[in-house]
Amino acid sequence: MTADPPAVTGADPAGPYAGSGSVAQAAVCLADFERAAAAVLPPDVRDFIAGGSGGEITLDANRAALDRVFLLPRILRDVTEVSTRTRLLGTPAALPIAVAPIAYHRLVHPDGEIATARAARAAGAPFTASTLSSVPIEEITAVGGTVWFQLYWLRDTARTLDLVRRAEDAGCSAIVLTVDVPWMGRRLRDVRNRFTLPGHVRAANVETGAAAHERSANASALAVHTSRTFSSALTWSSVAALRKLTGLPLVLKGVLAPEDALRAAEFGVDAVVVSNHGGRQLDGAVPSVDALPEVARAVSGSCEVLLDSGIRSGPDVLRALALGASGVLVGRPLLWGLAADGEAGAARVLELLAEELRDALGLAGCDGVAAAARLRTVRAGSSMERSPEAWAPRAGAEV
């Protein structure tokens, strides 16, 4: 059994908004922030962030699947200089990591998305602003850095397209269309808590009305709100219309089937995000990392492939790169950092990921992100006893 990392000291038990930097200074891994955030967040908010849909089978499976991926490090490589720099959607990035779209950052800290966007800018990582962000998109892009806009397709198509134009005018550099939420998955923690948004938190980019703030019997107010707001008629024709409307890079988030990834590339999509929404939509959906290799093979370089759901460390990022991703999206850990220590906490989360990724690259014999794509992987339970032909270098692989 692996012992838990030592508990982080410095969290203010009176609330999550101290932002003293003490938690950030003491944290040595992302799990430290998870514990610190759990100690200060209200139970219903903690459940909203941590929970998944149904019996949380897919939520748990995301981590288990990542832990089954083992890397075959290479030796006798010069790793005196190891770079984490890369390009995501054609734009230089300090890391193969983007901040995933998450709604309502002000649930955990009054600075909300402003603080997390600043942390992403400092780290050189793209920040994905949600349609349901608690700060208007124009204020987020004013922070600077690379900002992508995550789009939910609304029942009112005109309002949807207006959001795209707002994002363009605000200076966003990509549109990330979420394609796996015809309605919100049945998240039992939120149902049991009869979860509602507090009065000071709202969706700043769309009108929510009162639905998200009204307590319902045996229901999540957010599920009620999104069922009234999101369209369940999102189809490939919608993707075609969006591709025609915007010249920005277009990303589809929530792709698991290789056939869908291939069709996305045929529709001119610039990237797909292999994602099961962090285990928050279809419970029983395949773990994202298990779907990744087939998706990468299906598109065969015709569009970028990113991985989302369950990334918690630098070695996780390296696993994704070795399995065919050009980068990853990281979500919940940014909210843990924000809750525990404000902007300093969110910044330290990304700093830790950068440190861990550089360490993992070097120990695997890789001097950069491109070299990581040539690493081989072994799944737990598979046999290393293969014929000599099985170990023959692949075309283009280093020897």
Side-chain angles (χ1 to χ4, degrees):
M1 248 178 111
T2 303
D4 284 340
V8 174
T9 58
D12 179 3
Y17 305 143
S20 65
S22 56
V23 178
Q25 292 167 13
V28 298
C29 66
L30 270 57
D32 289 344
F33 280 109
E34 183 176 15
R35 282 191 294 273
V40 297
L41 287 174
D44 61 337
V45 174
R46 183 180 65 230
D47 281 348
F48 171 71
I49 295 168
S53 61
E56 300 189 345
I57 294 167
T58 295
L59 175 70
D60 294 339
N62 279 328
R63 266 302 339 147
L66 278 160
D67 289 338
R68 287 196 302 268
V69 178
F70 290 84
L71 296 152
L72 283 167
R74 302 303 303 272
I75 60 171
L76 301 176
R77 307 292 178 91
D78 184 353
V79 289
T80 305
E81 299 291 334
V82 175
S83 174
T84 61
R85 300 198 67 82
T86 189
R87 297 180 73 86
L88 296 175
L89 301 183
T91 301
L95 302 164
I97 297 170
V99 177
I102 307 177
Y104 307 118
H105 290 206
R106 279 184 170 163
L107 273 173
V108 306
H109 194 281
D111 291 343
E113 287 83 357
I114 298 299
T116 39
R118 284 174 178 159
R121 180 196 62 193
F127 178 85
T128 314
S130 172
T131 291
L132 298 178
S133 63
S134 50
V135 172
I137 184 60
E138 292 82 3
E139 294 182 25
I140 295 171
T141 55
V143 167
T146 300
V147 179
W148 302 344
F149 182 71
Q150 176 271 333
L151 178 69
Y152 283 120
W153 202 268
L154 308 180
R155 287 176 178 266
D156 185 336
T157 300
R159 289 176 62 206
T160 305
L161 301 183
D162 182 60
L163 281 173
V164 175
R165 295 186 186 96
R166 273 185 64 188
E168 291 177 331
D169 291 344
C172 290
S173 58
I175 302 296
V176 181
L177 177 64
T178 294
V179 294
D180 60 354
V181 186
W183 52 79
M184 187 179 287
R186 186 169 168 77
R187 303 170 190 175
L188 299 186
R189 297 198 208 192
D190 296 346
V191 172
R192 292 188 179 104
N193 291 330
R194 299 167 64 200
F195 185 71
T196 62
L197 287 182
H200 69 281
V201 178
R202 66 184 185 92
N205 297 309
V206 294
E207 280 296 326
T208 61
H213 301 272
E214 293 177 342
R215 194 171 296 275
S216 304
N218 298 318
S220 158
L222 293 190
V224 173
H225 164 244
T226 56
S227 69
R228 296 175 182 175
T229 307
F230 295 173
S231 173
S232 58
L234 177 63
T235 66
W236 288 107
S237 64
S238 310
V239 174
L242 186 56
R243 177 69 290 174
K244 185 176 180 180
L245 174 70
T246 183
L248 293 178
L250 177 58
V251 183
L252 298 193
K253 178 178 178 290
V255 177
L256 292 171
E259 299 90 344
D260 288 336
L262 181 58
R263 191 166 190 196
E266 292 169 348
F267 270 73
V269 166
D270 298 276
V272 295
V273 181
V274 181
S275 172
N276 55 40
H277 215 94
R280 291 161 75 83
Q281 284 302 105
L282 174 64
D283 196 30
V286 64
S288 296
V289 75
D290 284 349
L292 172 60
E294 286 194 29
V295 167
R297 280 192 291 270
V299 301
S300 190
S302 56
C303 70
E304 285 189 45
V305 178
L306 305 172
L307 179 72
D308 171 76
S309 305
I311 299 293
R312 297 292 181 267
S313 69
D316 284 346
V317 181
L318 184 57
R319 287 162 164 151
L321 297 174
L323 289 169
S326 57
V328 303
L329 273 60
V330 177
R332 288 179 176 98
L334 270 295
L335 288 192
W336 301 338
L338 182 65
D341 221 347
E343 182 181 334
R348 180 58 177 157
V349 165
L350 290 168
E351 184 180 74
L352 280 169
L353 284 169
E355 292 174 3
E356 291 175 357
L357 176 59
R358 185 187 180 280
D359 181 67
L361 283 166
L363 293 177
C366 301
D367 62 1
V369 172
R374 297 189 287 271
L375 288 175
R376 289 197 293 263
T377 62
V378 175
R379 298 280 174 159
S382 66
S383 174
M384 290 285 289
E385 297 177 2
R386 302 185 185 182
S387 67
E389 292 79 10
W391 298 114
R394 298 181 311 226
E398 287 185 352
V399 295

